[in-house]
């Protein structure tokens, strides 16, 4: 497709919106990019240099602009005026994911991974497996680098592993992965999708354009995800840690097994996995199906399962200071993710939680904390809601922090040898940070500075002033 002279409107100047605008401008398109917020000039310098027309602090009139195509950033809801108006006028609206898909060289095989929790870890693991197997693979999407920026690195008949969000899937019109993975679906982003039916429908769009020679990898143990088997033309492969599923991947006598129809293949015992926790066991089962569907040999797959260490901001070990372990789980942006983090360790926990609620109910999470979380530190917009849920569940040791640094240091003051101080917010970061990465990096910085100050002196050198 030639982009030369085409009029394109990009709505939203987050990471993927900026990437789409810059790529299209370099291809000769006449790009107008807009955002209802004012954007720091440093973040849009590349757009200015490429001749992109910018509309900041508001939106242009779509009718007056007359674009051939509208590209929407994931963070922009479908009801925003330029998107709604474009659809009324019959102008195509694509996500950056759809744009990247249409730019791929021929013969590329895509593994696309979504789910409420676990998608970043599973995406990174799948990418590492293919890389270790010597295959030409690019990893991108919602995991970090927008896929459209990765196009020059993707070779014909190569492989792409991409993390995909429900926001991105709202505006795909032909995206067809060779392997579509839906790890789980639990309440999240209900402020955007309206209700669970809307959220499930968005996730299911990952399989909307698949054909019978494609694969859909689904979690059998998750009711909402299992039910999506009826919505796809692709060959369904289930994974389960609770029962033997064929064709699929499962746990049998503690061993990860796969059977795609040609007999059972035993990979490794769960204790040999580098990734720990039941949720990571599920991620490994799903990744195994992806790898074998794409032709990776079982022996190579097993080698990577035994060595892959995980991803930043997801149960990331930061430091151990005088017997207290500090864990960064900033990517735990919903209650289900935090519940999985709580289950991952047997030690007493001092939990730091809070941020912006995305429409979640914290009741089940509060019940999970009972008997496991010895002290709860709350911060951010949702601190009040979290405290109410925690007190209803009988949790009394709670501290409402005044800032993020106060939250971390408040948690430090409660820790004794054998404890774990864990940041797992159960909320989005947008009330205080640009993203969960920024939040996690600040946590790590504070902890590492503390480690430097404590030296051999331990927690007694932490700043004074008790938590309440």
């Amino acid at each position: 497709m030639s982009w030369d002279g085409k009029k394109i409107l990009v709505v939203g100047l987050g990471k993927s919106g900026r990437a789409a605008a810059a790529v299209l401008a370099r291809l000769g398109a006449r790009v107008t990019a807009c955002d209802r917020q004012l954007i720091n000039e440093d973040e849009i310098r590349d757009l200015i240099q490429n001749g992109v027309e910018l509309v900041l602090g508001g939106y242009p009139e779509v009718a007056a602009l007359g674009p051939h195509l509208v590209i929407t950033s994931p963070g922009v809801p479908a009801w925003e005026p330029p998107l709604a108006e474009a659809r009324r006028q019959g102008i195509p609206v694509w996500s950056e994911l759809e744009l990247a898909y249409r730019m791929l060289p021929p013969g590329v095989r895509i593994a696309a991974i979504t789910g409420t929790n676990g998608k970043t870890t599973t995406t990174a693991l799948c990418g590492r497996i293919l890389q270790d197997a010597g295959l030409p693979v690019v990893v991108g999407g919602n995991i970090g680098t927008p896929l459209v920026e990765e196009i020059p690195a993707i070779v014909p008949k190569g492989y792409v592993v991409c993390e995909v969000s429900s926001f991105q899937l709202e505006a795909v019109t032909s995206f067809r992965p060779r392997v579509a993975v839906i790890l789980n679906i639990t309440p999240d982003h209900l402020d955007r999708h309206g209700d669970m039916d809307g959220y499930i429908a968005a996730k299911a769009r990952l399989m909307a354009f698949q054909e019978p020679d494609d694969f859909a990898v689904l979690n059998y143990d998750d009711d909402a995800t299992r039910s999506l088997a009826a919505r796809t033309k692709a060959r369904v492969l289930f994974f389960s840690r609770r029962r033997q599923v064929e064709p699929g991947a499962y746990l049998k006598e503690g061993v990860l097994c796969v059977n795609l129809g040609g007999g059972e293949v035993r990979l490794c015992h769960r204790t040999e996995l580098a990734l720990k926790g039941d949720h990571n066991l599920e991620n490994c089962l799903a990744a195994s199906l992806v790898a074998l569907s794409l032709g990776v040999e079982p022996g190579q797959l097993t080698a990577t399962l035994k060595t892959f260490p995980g991803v930043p901001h997801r149960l990331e070990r930061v430091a151990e200071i005088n017997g207290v372990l500090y864990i960064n789980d900033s990517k735990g942006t919903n209650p289900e993710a935090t519940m999985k983090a709580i289950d991952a360790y047997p030690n007493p926990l001092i939990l730091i939680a809070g941020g912006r609620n995305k429409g979640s109910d914290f009741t089940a999470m509060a019940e999970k904390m009972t008997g496991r979380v010895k002290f709860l530190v709350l911060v951010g917009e949702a601190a009040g809601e979290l405290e109410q849920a925690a007190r209803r569940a009988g949790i009394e040791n709670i501290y409402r922090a005044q800032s993020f640094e106060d939250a971390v240091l408040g948690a430090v003051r409660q820790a004794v040898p054998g404890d774990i101080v864990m940041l797992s917010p159960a909320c989005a970061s947008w009330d205080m940070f640009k993203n969960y990465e920024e939040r996690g990096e600040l946590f790590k910085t504070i902890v590492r500075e503390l480690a430097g100050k404590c030296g051999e002196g331990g927690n007694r050198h932490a700043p004074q002033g008790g938590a309440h």
Side-chain angles (χ1 to χ4, degrees):
M1 178 177 181
S2 174
W3 297 99
D4 194 40
K6 290 286 178 66
K7 290 195 289 185
I8 312 294
L9 174 63
V10 176
V11 182
L13 287 173
K15 187 184 296 185
S16 66
R18 296 197 305 271
V23 167
L24 288 167
R26 287 194 290 267
L27 291 172
R30 295 162 57 191
V31 180
T32 300
C34 63
D35 197 294
R36 67 178 181 180
Q37 305 294 330
L38 296 175
I39 308 294
N40 187 295
E41 186 174 330
D42 290 339
E43 298 181 29
I44 53 176
R45 194 175 305 280
D46 186 39
L47 302 186
I48 296 170
Q49 292 171 349
N50 280 282
V52 174
E53 182 178 339
L54 295 167
V55 178
L56 304 177
Y59 296 129
E61 288 292 331
V62 174
L65 191 63
H68 297 100
L69 172 68
V70 174
I71 305 295
T72 176
S73 288
V76 181
W79 58 79
E80 283 291 281
L83 303 184
E85 181 59 27
R87 291 188 171 99
R88 279 194 294 270
Q89 294 185 29
I91 300 169
V93 177
W94 297 353
S95 65
E96 173 266 328
L97 177 68
E98 178 70 21
L99 174 66
Y101 175 70
R102 294 186 182 229
M103 291 181 169
L104 289 174
V108 172
R109 284 149 288 190
I110 303 170
I113 294 138
T114 196
T116 306
N117 298 299
K119 53 187 178 289
T120 296
T121 298
T122 306
T123 299
L125 174 56
C126 289
R128 178 67 63 83
I129 292 168
L130 296 179
Q131 182 182 46
D132 289 350
L135 299 174
V137 60
V138 166
V139 179
N142 198 56
I143 194 172
T145 304
L147 192 57
V148 74
E149 286 188 355
E150 298 281 10
I151 297 299
I154 301 170
V155 300
K157 298 185 179 180
Y159 297 81
V160 168
V161 181
C162 58
E163 177 184 324
V164 179
S165 72
S166 59
F167 294 175
Q168 291 173 306
L169 289 169
E170 286 178 329
V172 295
T173 60
S174 67
F175 179 67
R176 178 188 170 187
R178 171 69 169 160
V179 186
V181 182
I182 303 180
L183 296 167
N184 46 63
I185 304 177
T186 55
D188 198 20
H189 299 301
L190 301 187
D191 52 345
R192 168 78 168 256
H193 297 296
D195 54 26
M196 275 300 289
D197 287 341
Y199 183 44
I200 292 169
K203 291 293 191 187
R205 288 185 62 77
L206 184 66
M207 309 179 298
F209 304 101
Q210 287 190 292
E211 296 295 338
D213 58 341
D214 298 321
F215 297 92
V217 175
L218 303 175
N219 186 347
Y220 190 90
D221 300 335
D222 182 86
D223 291 344
T225 308
R226 183 175 67 247
S227 70
L228 296 181
R231 299 198 195 185
T232 181
K233 296 178 184 177
R235 182 188 180 195
V236 173
L237 303 176
F238 284 118
F239 64 93
S240 172
R241 60 183 175 87
R242 297 175 182 163
R243 60 173 294 168
Q244 188 166 328
V245 287
E246 296 177 9
Y250 47 90
L251 195 66
K252 183 178 179 181
E253 298 173 348
V255 175
L256 278 72
C257 300
V258 290
N259 190 335
L260 300 186
E264 182 176 274
V265 177
R266 295 167 68 87
L267 299 175
C268 63
H269 197 277
R270 66 173 300 173
T271 57
E272 298 179 271
L273 296 173
L275 294 170
K276 304 304 180 184
D278 286 344
H279 62 295
N280 278 323
L281 172 60
E282 293 178 351
N283 297 338
C284 290
L285 289 169
S288 298
L289 291 174
V290 172
L292 295 175
S293 297
L294 295 175
V296 176
E297 292 296 322
Q300 180 60 67
L301 161 62
T302 299
T304 305
L305 291 177
K306 290 180 178 181
T307 57
F308 180 71
V311 297
H313 309 295
R314 192 69 180 108
L315 295 179
E316 179 186 12
R317 181 188 177 107
V318 180
E320 183 171 340
I321 306 172
N322 289 341
V324 177
L325 182 61
Y326 292 82
I327 299 293
N328 168 31
D329 192 52
S330 183
K331 201 175 188 310
T333 61
N334 58 65
E336 185 70 21
T338 297
M339 290 164 69
K340 291 178 184 295
I342 291 170
D343 279 339
Y345 299 93
N347 309 56
L349 294 175
I350 295 95
L351 178 67
I352 304 169
R356 177 166 294 172
N357 188 2
K358 297 181 288 181
S360 300
D361 185 330
F362 298 115
T363 302
M365 173 181 149
E367 293 170 355
K368 170 70 71 174
M369 288 190 292
T370 304
R372 288 288 298 112
V373 174
K374 62 179 282 188
F375 204 92
L376 178 62
V377 180
L378 300 175
V379 67
E381 289 179 1
E385 294 174 77
L386 281 160
E387 181 173 3
Q388 290 177 11
R391 292 200 184 280
R392 286 196 300 268
I395 296 170
E396 297 181 355
N397 294 329
I398 300 172
Y399 175 52
R400 292 276 292 272
Q402 300 304 306
S403 66
F404 188 80
E405 183 176 15
D406 181 34
V408 178
L409 297 179
V412 168
R413 288 190 289 269
Q414 299 301 321
V416 299
D419 288 349
I420 291 177
V421 171
M422 179 189 291
L423 169 67
S424 189
C427 295
S429 59
W430 307 316
D431 58 335
M432 300 174 74
F433 302 94
K434 290 182 180 178
N435 48 49
Y436 72 82
E437 293 98 334
E438 186 178 76
R439 176 172 62 190
E441 290 300 328
L442 180 56
F443 176 76
K444 291 193 290 185
T445 296
I446 295 170
V447 170
R448 287 166 180 164
E449 288 178 352
L450 176 68
K453 291 176 182 177
C454 288
E456 293 300 317
N459 291 336
R460 70 171 182 267
H461 290 301
Q464 297 301 305
H468 305 292

